[in-house]
């Protein structure tokens, strides 16, 4: 059974149809890359899946359980939306780290707030917080920032900030982790360190969706590539097909822009 | 003589301080409410509030003091404030709170709108509630942004308190000036300046201390 199943997802902003029926599936442990021209709806798709926008139509299922269906008569409550979001993590193009917290603070903040909802929070508070901090430290070591635990975001380079953001998203153990152009805001010499972390996660079988303009990277790490254009998936398949030997003219044209 | 003057000025300064403190205590929460109203998506709410802010910020506080104190009696034929000193004081406080709340509200609005949308969204995708995002993410960033402009307003308020004398609230300058008429002495008036300088100096220190405390991060 597919871990994530998206069916006929649509999103309008007033009269502008940005997503016009997007459907795809992915298995646990897969890495999926999304490519496509600017304005095609890639960011909007990720925002819909993370409920930063509410889709106008379509459904989303995780592990066979439908967590969102626009056709169901009642909308989701604030609480349900929050629960749904915990299935997913999102790494933003411009990191969005919280400036007043250290790297460690950024990673441990949300898990600590989650811990408050546990019934044994009152008795075990100290213990729980220590566990969370320990886990957060481990995550920062995993992204290669074990020596920057107590640095504030403004003291870190863009690449380091983005790696903190990845650790922060991983701290809530999402089922699927989404990346929206994680290296677009970085100087070219800093993209490698971030891509390496994603590559390492792929090797560890983290389920991921990566919107990217790095074609070589997409070819190397993804199990599947989606080409999104004009709010629809114009082509999808294994990277050898979509990136090397596309069936659609639109895809070919788009990829030609990346040949140098 | 010096003691008489000092006593009178200290008493006047007490009134000045009262105006100052009450304006902040009333003006900050009211300013927050007004700023939230002015940012409301409901135009029926935000539009009148913006109009009021414009009027209050676009006219002198002295005029507002006079209108608020004399207005009810002369226009409505009913002086709410009563005739005594306490009535004049209440009217002055209301005028100050309302005036400063409007200035504060614009500072708050700027501070709140200045926090990038991504901060809120980052909190949301991490499963945080609206309240958690406000208190754990946004608030401190807003505070850091508004401290310098709030500092300017607060220092201005120290000096603006003297306007209360136009409706005969006996603040420090009133008391200082009284010595010109009664004793022909000018130095008590100069001496009031010492009070202002000491007080605004103290506030400046306090403000720069707070700014330094929040220097550990950048927004
Ligand atoms: N909140 C919004 N309101 C109105 N229109 C929007 C909104 N968000 C996105 N759009 C529009 O939706 C379209 C798709 O935008 P989106 O950001 O999803 O594209 P993208 O594929 O991520 O592009 P890029 O590669 O430049 O990041 C654009 O035309 C954009 O102007
Ligand atoms: Mg985008």
């Amino acid at each position: 059974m597919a871990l994530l199943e998206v069916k006929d997802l649509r999103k309008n902003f007033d009269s502008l149809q940005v997503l016009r029926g997007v459907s795809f599936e992915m298995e646990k442990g897969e890495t999926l890359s999304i490519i496509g021209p600017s304005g095609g709806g890639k960011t909007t798709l990720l925002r819909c899946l993370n409920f930063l926008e509410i889709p106008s139509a379509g459904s989303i299922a995780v592990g066979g359980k439908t967590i969102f269906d626009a056709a169901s008569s009642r909308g989701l409550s604030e609480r349900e939306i929050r629960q749904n979001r915990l299935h997913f993590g999102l790494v933003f193009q411009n990191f969005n780290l919280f400036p007043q917290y250290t790297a460690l603070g950024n990673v441990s903040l949300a898990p600590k707030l989650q811990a408050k909802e546990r019934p044994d929070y009152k008795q075990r508070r100290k213990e729980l917080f220590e566990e969370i901090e320990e886990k957060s430290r481990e995550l920062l070591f995993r992204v290669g920032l074990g020596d920057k635990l107590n640095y504030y975001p403004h003291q870190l380079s863009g690449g380091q900030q983005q790696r903190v953001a990845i650790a922060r998203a991983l701290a809530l153990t999402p089922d699927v982790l989404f990346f929206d152009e994680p290296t677009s805001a970085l100087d070219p010499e800093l993209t490698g360190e971030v891509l390496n972390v994603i590559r390492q996660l792929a090797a560890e079988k983290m389920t991921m969706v990566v919107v990217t303009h790095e074609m070589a990277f997409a070819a190397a790490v993804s199990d599947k590539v989606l080409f999104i254009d004009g709010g629809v998936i114009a082509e999808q398949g294994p990277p050898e097909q979509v990136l090397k030997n596309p069936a659609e003219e639109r895809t070919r044209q788009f990829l030609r822009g990346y040949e140098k | 003589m010096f003691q008489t003057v000092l006593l009178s000025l200290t008493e006047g300064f007490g009134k000045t301080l009262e105006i100052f403190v009450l304006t902040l205590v009333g003006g900050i929460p009211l300013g927050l409410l007004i700023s939230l109203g002015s940012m409301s998506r409901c135009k029926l709410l935000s539009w009148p509030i913006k109009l009021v802010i414009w009027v209050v910020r676009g006219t002198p506080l002295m005029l507002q003091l006079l209108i608020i104190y004399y207005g009810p009696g002369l226009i409505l034929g009913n002086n709410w404030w009563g005739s005594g000193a306490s009535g004049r004081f209440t009217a002055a406080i209301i005028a100050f709170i309302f005036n400063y709340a409007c200035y504060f509200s614009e500072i708050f609005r700027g501070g709140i709108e200045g926090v990038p949308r991504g901060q809120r969204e980052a909190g949301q995708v991490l499963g945080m509630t609206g309240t958690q995002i406000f208190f754990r993410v946004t608030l401190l960033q807003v505070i850091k942004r508004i401290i310098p402009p709030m500092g300017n307003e607060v220092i201005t308020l120290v000096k603006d308190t003297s306007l209360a004398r136009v409706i005969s609230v006996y603040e420090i300058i009133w008391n200082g000036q009284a010595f010109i008429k009664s004793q022909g002495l000018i130095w008590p008036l100069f001496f009031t300046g010492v009070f202002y300088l000491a007080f605004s100096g103290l506030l400046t220190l306090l403000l720069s201390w707070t700014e330094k405390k929040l220097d550990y991060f950048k927004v």
Side-chain angles (χ1 to χ4, degrees):
Chain A
M1 182 184 33
L3 175 66
L4 173 65
E5 198 174 346
V6 176
K7 270 200 206 135
D8 198 34
L9 209 68
R10 289 162 193 271
K11 178 68 191 173
N12 308 334
F13 292 107
D14 298 320
S15 64
L16 181 70
Q17 298 186 320
V18 175
L19 295 180
R20 299 184 300 151
V22 171
S23 307
F24 68 93
E25 290 183 359
M26 63 189 297
E27 304 294 330
K28 192 166 160 41
E30 274 188 334
T31 298
L32 189 134
S33 293
I34 299 182
I35 59 169
S38 183
K42 305 180 295 296
T43 296
T44 307
L45 175 62
L46 296 201
R47 290 175 61 83
C48 282
L49 292 172
N50 284 279
F51 301 95
L52 292 176
E53 309 284 357
I54 300 302
S56 317
S59 68
I60 303 167
V62 178
K65 184 172 162 277
T66 302
I67 61 167
F68 173 83
D69 187 352
S72 93
S73 54
R74 55 176 200 102
L76 295 175
S77 70
E78 185 72 26
R79 194 186 162 72
E80 286 168 316
I81 289 181
R82 248 176 352 102
Q83 289 303 321
N84 286 349
R85 280 184 182 136
L86 292 176
H87 288 291
F88 305 132
L90 177 60
V91 173
F92 298 86
Q93 192 170 338
N94 49 359
F95 337 130
N96 291 335
L97 290 183
F98 305 133
Q100 71 267 46
Y101 293 98
T102 59
L104 188 61
N106 266 279
V107 178
S108 59
L109 177 64
K112 282 182 179 170
L113 294 172
Q114 293 283 303
K116 288 193 173 179
E117 287 170 31
R118 294 172 55 130
D120 58 352
Y121 173 70
K122 282 231 166 65
Q123 304 89 330
R124 298 190 46 225
R125 184 194 144 101
K126 217 175 147 218
E127 224 175 300
L128 288 170
F129 277 22
E130 268 164 21
E131 280 169 28
I132 290 169
E133 296 218 343
E134 186 48 41
K135 194 181 161 209
S136 305
R137 266 193 291 271
E138 273 167 29
L139 283 167
L140 284 165
F141 270 98
R142 248 171 87 186
V143 299
L145 294 171
D147 56 339
K148 299 279 192 283
L149 299 176
N150 296 316
Y151 281 54
Y152 287 92
H154 76 273
Q155 300 169 316
L156 299 171
S157 74
Q160 291 169 335
Q161 289 187 51
Q162 190 60 301
R163 286 186 281 151
V164 174
I166 295 173
R168 178 174 73 172
L170 288 171
L172 291 171
T173 54
D175 295 318
V176 186
L177 183 51
F178 295 88
F179 296 82
D180 191 4
E181 301 193 29
T183 59
S184 293
L186 300 177
D187 293 336
E189 70 271 21
L190 298 179
T191 60
E193 59 190 63
V194 172
L195 295 181
N196 280 338
V197 167
I198 302 175
R199 216 172 262 133
Q200 173 197 327
L201 290 172
E204 291 166 11
K205 293 293 165 203
M206 177 77 208
T207 314
M208 295 185 291
V209 175
V210 188
V211 172
T212 186
H213 289 294
E214 308 268 349
M215 295 305 155
F217 171 78
V221 301
S222 23
D223 300 291
K224 205 156 78 174
V225 177
L226 306 189
F227 172 66
I228 292 191
D229 185 14
V232 293
I233 300 179
E235 181 161 1
Q236 61 177 309
E240 309 80 63
Q241 179 206 315
V242 179
L243 297 173
K244 299 277 145 54
N245 193 10
E248 299 286 326
E249 177 52 31
R250 280 200 274 179
T251 320
R252 254 177 263 150
Q253 210 176 350
F254 170 74
L255 288 173
R256 234 172 272 142
Y258 285 87
E259 283 164 15
K260 272 155 216 155
Chain B
M1 190 66 227
F2 183 75
Q3 276 196 345
T4 323
V5 171
L6 195 64
L7 202 68
S8 164
L9 292 189
T10 307
E11 200 181 295
F13 190 63
K15 216 37 158 205
T16 297
L17 267 184
E18 256 181 87
I19 301 173
F20 177 81
V21 171
L22 289 174
T23 304
L24 291 185
V25 168
I28 290 175
L30 182 63
L32 193 59
L33 280 180
I34 295 177
S35 75
L36 294 176
S38 73
M39 287 185 290
S40 162
R41 256 167 297 175
C42 170
K43 289 229 165 36
L44 229 59
L45 183 65
S46 67
W47 214 82
I49 288 180
K50 282 183 183 159
L51 185 73
V52 170
I53 294 175
W54 175 66
V55 170
V56 171
R57 298 206 315 159
T59 57
L61 175 54
M62 190 186 283
L63 179 65
Q64 292 162 22
L65 277 161
L66 291 170
I67 290 177
I68 286 183
Y69 179 58
Y70 292 109
L74 296 179
I75 300 167
L76 307 172
N78 169 16
N79 188 0
W80 308 334
W81 310 115
S83 50
S86 79
R88 296 195 300 273
F89 182 72
T90 313
I93 292 300
I94 301 287
F96 269 90
I97 288 180
F98 201 58
N99 179 279
Y100 270 83
C102 287
Y103 280 96
F104 292 159
S105 79
E106 286 293 278
I107 294 177
F108 295 158
R109 189 173 63 82
I112 292 170
E113 288 178 347
V115 177
R117 195 178 62 158
Q119 288 290 307
R120 181 174 187 77
E121 292 182 346
Q124 286 176 317
V125 297
L126 290 168
M128 292 164 68
T129 64
T131 324
Q132 288 171 342
I133 293 172
F134 180 74
F135 284 106
R136 303 302 187 107
V137 178
T138 321
L139 184 62
L140 197 59
Q141 296 182 43
V142 173
I143 291 176
K144 186 177 165 85
R145 279 166 194 278
I146 65 176
I147 281 188
M150 280 299 278
N152 289 338
E153 279 314 311
V154 168
I155 300 287
T156 307
L157 173 61
V158 173
K159 296 167 285 176
D160 271 359
T161 51
S162 61
L163 291 171
R165 67 192 297 288
V166 300
I167 55 171
S168 306
V169 171
Y170 305 142
E171 46 68 65
I172 185 167
I173 293 193
W174 179 289
N175 284 7
Q177 201 182 4
F179 288 99
I180 297 180
K181 272 192 209 139
S182 63
Q183 322 266 337
L185 291 177
I186 184 72
W187 68 266
L189 199 54
F190 283 119
F191 202 65
T192 62
V194 177
F195 279 86
Y196 284 110
L197 284 174
F199 189 44
S200 56
L202 194 71
L203 288 172
T204 308
L205 285 178
L206 190 69
L207 283 161
S208 61
W209 178 81
T210 333
E211 267 181 62
K212 217 169 248 129
K213 277 273 153 193
L214 293 175
D215 227 17
Y216 68 92
F217 72 95
K218 301 257 179 305
V219 289

